[in-house]
Amino acid sequence: MDSVIASLDEERAIEKSKDDLITNVSHDLRTPLTSILGYLGLIQDKQYRSTDDVLKYTEIAYLKAKQMKSLVDNLFEYTKVRQADTKLSYNRIDLTQMMEQLVAAFELDAGKHGLKISTDEPAESMFIEADAEKLGRVFNNLISNAIKYGVGGQNIYLRAKFVSDDEAKIDVLNDGPRIPAKALNQIFERFYRVEESRNKDTGGSGLGLAIAQSIVALHGGYIDVTSDDEFTVFSIHLPIKPGEKLKQAKPQMLS
Ligand SMILES: Nc1ncnc2c1ncn2[C@@H]1O[C@H](COP(=O)(O)OP(=O)(O)OP(=O)(O)O)[C@@H](O)[C@H]1O
Ligand SMILES: [Mg+2]
């Protein structure tokens, strides 16, 4: 009997979580859509004084449409990586090389935000086996965050090391404003954004870290985070060989 009740509770929890997902998505799609319709409406009704006005309205509508696209893309990615049977396609990856490529890829964007991205002096190759494309997505999400929320700081560092015979750890550090301790254990939840960052026009969907965490979990690893006045550090712990599962050494989020 107890088990029947337990499974009913579980079913209700899943139902509720799906409803929450739909509520969030509808809200996050409706906000930019309302604005797109508003500005296109102004153009349609000829409620503008000059070509500059028209250009301004189209620019806003375009930006909001891009925001919607990014939400839909992220959502698609999120549901894909949440499926436990998602297949990974393993490649041999040199972490040292990967970090150098990431620095090159993000240098310009970081620079535009007044930040410098770097990695330790080129050390020897560090090979692991992982899904290169998905892992790329993880770094993309973490580094984009470091750029987006690290404004006011100066640096973003990438560093990798083997912590044991079977575990690699890759850190993404930035010296921007700290993440409040009480938010640390929630930032990996889908749609969660720290209040201040909600108000800023950073336009995120709150899915980046949830996606990153799911991808790392598919690899048998985990991500943890620490944040103080000096640094915010996201650490990706990955098994070196496919099919292995790391035991999480520490509680997932530390303050
Ligand atoms: N390096 C960081 N420094 C400070 N705050 C961060 C950092 N990384 C993430 N955060 C906080 O965690 C929240 C969740 O991040 P996440 O990447 O999941 O969503 P997002 O960046 O808001 O949107 P998305 O990545 O889907 O575009 C962010 O809104 C931000 O408040
Ligand atoms: Mg993000």
Side-chain angles (χ1 to χ4, degrees):
M1 193 62 190
D2 278 357
S3 69
V4 175
I5 292 172
S7 80
L8 265 178
D9 281 351
E10 202 175 303
E11 229 170 87
R12 277 197 205 106
I14 294 173
E15 233 4 81
K16 161 109 180 37
S17 130
K18 280 190 187 151
D19 286 349
D20 288 350
L21 182 71
I22 295 171
T23 310
N24 266 308
V25 173
S26 333
H27 173 267
D28 284 3
L29 285 176
R30 197 168 51 189
T31 314
L33 191 54
T34 306
S35 156
I36 293 169
L37 286 174
Y39 284 104
L40 291 182
L42 289 178
I43 298 174
Q44 159 109 332
D45 298 341
K46 301 210 164 47
Q47 300 245 12
Y48 50 81
R49 281 161 308 190
S50 62
T51 333
D52 274 357
D53 276 357
V54 179
L55 286 176
K56 199 170 80 196
Y57 299 165
T58 11
E59 194 192 326
I60 301 173
Y62 181 62
L63 233 131
K64 297 286 169 186
K66 279 211 295 202
Q67 200 175 318
M68 283 177 72
K69 170 143 186 348
S70 146
L71 170 62
V72 174
D73 286 347
N74 277 346
L75 205 61
F76 183 68
E77 180 84 21
Y78 173 76
T79 44
K80 239 177 21 183
V81 296
R82 288 282 291 175
Q83 280 150 21
D85 57 356
T86 302
K87 293 269 174 301
L88 295 178
S89 98
Y90 278 94
N91 322 86
R92 198 165 124 91
I93 299 170
D94 178 359
L95 289 175
T96 311
Q97 200 182 23
M98 188 170 182
M99 289 190 306
E100 276 164 19
Q101 285 166 353
L102 286 165
V103 167
F106 282 95
E107 228 159 18
L108 198 69
D109 194 21
K112 281 189 197 149
H113 289 78
L115 296 163
K116 182 172 163 34
I117 180 165
S118 57
T119 177
D120 295 343
E121 286 300 299
E124 56 216 56
S125 298
M126 290 179 65
F127 289 104
I128 65 163
E129 284 185 55
D131 186 317
E133 198 191 318
K134 291 204 168 51
L135 200 58
R137 180 70 194 233
V138 172
F139 283 111
N140 192 64
N141 291 0
L142 293 183
I143 299 171
S144 311
N145 279 349
I147 294 176
K148 211 158 43 158
Y149 307 111
V151 171
Q154 270 149 17
N155 291 294
I156 298 171
Y157 300 114
L158 308 179
R159 63 178 185 209
K161 68 172 182 175
F162 288 140
V163 291
S164 70
D165 286 349
D166 15 61
E167 177 179 344
K169 179 162 93 76
I170 309 115
D171 294 333
V172 178
L173 294 84
N174 77 279
D175 57 2
R178 72 181 294 172
I179 303 175
K182 65 175 176 6
L184 275 185
N185 55 357
Q186 281 172 291
I187 53 174
F188 290 95
E189 285 170 18
R190 64 188 187 202
F191 298 114
Y192 182 85
R193 308 189 67 212
V194 178
E195 203 45 49
E196 300 94 276
S197 67
R198 237 177 213 295
N199 300 330
K200 279 190 222 145
D201 203 17
T202 40
S205 60
L207 286 170
L209 287 176
I211 292 171
Q213 195 187 42
S214 296
I215 292 176
V216 175
L218 283 173
H219 282 86
Y222 60 95
I223 306 185
D224 54 30
V225 56
T226 60
S227 188
D228 58 28
D229 288 334
E230 220 173 338
F231 288 112
T232 292
V233 188
F234 285 88
S235 303
I236 304 166
H237 303 256
L238 282 171
I240 293 169
K241 293 260 163 335
E244 291 182 5
K245 200 166 165 18
L246 294 180
K247 232 176 89 204
Q248 203 157 321
K250 297 176 259 174
Q252 189 166 356
M253 289 102 197
L254 306 167
S255 54

